[in-house]
Amino acid sequence: MALDLSLNRFFKEKKYISPDDQNGVFIRNVADQLKQNQQFARVLQIIVAFVAFGTIIAGIIGISNIMVFVVKERTKELGIRKALGATPKSVIGSILLESVFITTISGFFGMLLGVFILNSLGEKLKDYFITNPYIDITMAISATLVLILFGAIAGYIPAKRAADIKPIEALRDE
């Protein structure tokens, strides 16, 4: 910026251009454009992170709803298991295992589908000045692991509720 100002002053003095004439000398400063582009990229990253966070939250809510439905549908089965001597810990474990399995399978296929779509769109986005769209594989795996972790946490609430069901009430359930 200082070089820009000093060059501007130098050329105006050398070529006898009025110091008040804004259009007399034009010096393009690429550093200023670079700073603006970096700020735009940061804002874009924040927006993408917000969308990714919302997607993970939606996945967590989806897994929680699925597990609530699974526990509701299998109330009699859980009651029979408890009547036969299953401990609350084993009931929680089986439901958590199912929750983690569903989350892992859906998270893994979702990650693969996203990477495939990103790779297949790569050449078609050159018209929009996007030359190399990609996702860092560690970021994709990290997001999948976070989804699995929170899927297990979301599955714990219905699992705990299932462990608290009394066998006689579960067997009466329609």
Side-chain angles (χ1 to χ4, degrees):
M1 298 300 277
L3 178 66
D4 181 19
L5 290 174
S6 64
L7 274 176
N8 199 351
R9 222 175 306 119
F10 172 77
F11 281 123
K12 283 187 178 184
E13 290 171 3
K14 199 70 155 163
K15 297 294 179 182
Y16 304 109
I17 298 172
S18 170
D20 298 331
D21 188 3
Q22 297 296 326
N23 296 324
V25 176
F26 175 73
I27 298 174
R28 183 174 175 209
N29 190 347
V30 181
D32 191 38
Q33 284 182 332
L34 178 65
K35 190 191 319 182
Q36 287 176 350
N37 288 344
Q38 287 174 338
Q39 287 175 342
F40 178 72
R42 272 188 239 122
V43 168
L44 203 57
Q45 272 184 323
I46 290 170
I47 291 170
V48 168
F50 183 72
V51 169
F53 181 73
T55 303
I56 288 176
I57 293 296
I60 292 167
I61 291 170
I63 289 295
S64 181
N65 287 339
I66 289 170
M67 295 316 298
V68 166
F69 182 74
V70 164
V71 167
K72 184 83 171 143
E73 288 295 312
R74 292 176 43 197
T75 302
K76 277 192 178 185
E77 174 195 337
L78 295 171
I80 292 170
R81 283 183 61 197
K82 286 189 77 171
L84 293 175
T87 63
K89 186 177 178 180
S90 71
V91 171
I92 290 173
S94 68
I95 292 174
L96 277 180
L97 180 68
E98 190 172 339
S99 174
V100 169
F101 179 76
I102 291 170
T103 308
T104 302
I105 295 298
S106 61
F108 181 71
F109 282 123
M111 178 184 68
L112 287 179
L113 182 67
V115 169
F116 174 74
I117 289 172
L118 199 58
N119 285 337
S120 65
L121 285 178
E123 293 296 319
K124 296 174 183 150
L125 294 176
K126 284 190 178 184
D127 295 340
Y128 302 102
F129 305 106
I130 300 173
T131 56
N132 187 17
Y134 76 98
I135 183 168
D136 185 28
I137 196 68
T138 57
M139 180 65 76
I141 292 172
S142 298
T144 305
L145 290 177
V146 166
L147 181 65
I148 292 169
L149 173 72
F150 282 109
I153 292 171
Y156 180 76
I157 296 167
K160 183 70 173 146
R161 196 173 303 146
D164 292 339
I165 294 174
K166 302 221 181 307
I168 192 71
E169 292 173 13
L171 292 174
R172 286 186 195 155
D173 188 49
E174 292 294 323

